[in-house]
């Protein structure tokens, strides 16, 4: 059983930056593919970015390419999402996830509780 805890969300102005973190416990973090997903009010949860167990492969949604970067530090059991040039449409609850397969769907075994990101002036 892997326990995931996100942090780093908050209120930021358009054009600003945030870095989200997700700390894992209860399992061997390096065994899992991990990713970030988000859910805006009234919408379904959507793929943002995923990364392979060793960091060698990443995928980013078209809507965030060039602005967001996913990374991980297996020694620290931590997943990151660097978000730059934030836009109001990035406002959502951001969730980290872990699973045995690297996919861009919601088919992950473990999920965090989410952290709110609000982009507004």
């Amino acid at each position: 059983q892997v326990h995931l805890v996100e942090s780093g969300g908050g209120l930021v102005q358009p054009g600003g930056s945030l870095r989200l973190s997700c700390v894992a416990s209860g399992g061997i973090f390096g065994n899992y593919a991990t990713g970030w997903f988000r859910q805006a009010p009234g919408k379904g949860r959507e793929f943002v970015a995923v990364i392979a167990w060793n960091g060698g492969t990443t995928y980013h949604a078209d809507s965030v390419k060039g602005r967001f970067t996913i990374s991980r530090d297996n020694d620290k059991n931590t997943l990151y999402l660097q978000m730059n040039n934030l836009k109001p449409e990035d406002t959502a609850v951001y969730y980290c996830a872990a699973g045995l397969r690297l996919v861009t769907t919601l088919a992950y075994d473990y999920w965090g509780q989410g952290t709110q990101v609000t982009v507004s002036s």
Side-chain angles (χ1 to χ4, degrees):
Q1 185 77 14
V2 177
H3 186 56
L4 303 171
V5 179
E6 302 97 334
S7 63
L11 173 64
V12 63
Q13 292 186 343
S17 297
L18 283 174
R19 188 175 81 156
L20 305 184
S21 299
C22 173
V23 178
S25 60
I28 302 175
F29 183 68
N31 284 351
Y32 294 94
T34 52
W36 290 98
F37 296 78
R38 66 187 181 186
Q39 188 165 14
K43 295 187 177 182
R45 195 170 298 190
E46 65 175 9
F47 155 68
V48 175
V50 295
I51 186 167
W53 67 273
N54 62 354
T57 301
T58 63
Y59 298 105
H60 294 78
D62 288 343
S63 59
V64 307
K65 277 181 183 176
R67 300 188 299 121
F68 292 10
T69 303
I70 190 171
S71 62
R72 63 189 293 163
D73 185 337
N74 287 348
D75 290 335
K76 295 182 178 179
N77 291 344
T78 303
L79 175 71
Y80 302 100
L81 185 68
Q82 178 66 44
M83 304 187 296
N84 298 328
N85 190 21
L86 282 158
K87 303 176 180 180
E89 52 264 43
D90 295 319
T91 295
V93 178
Y94 283 71
Y95 298 90
C96 68
L100 295 179
R101 295 178 60 226
L102 181 66
V103 295
T104 60
T105 67
L106 301 181
Y108 283 82
D109 301 300
Y110 306 103
W111 292 85
Q113 83 292 345
T115 186
Q116 176 70 47
V117 172
T118 302
V119 184
S120 175
S121 55

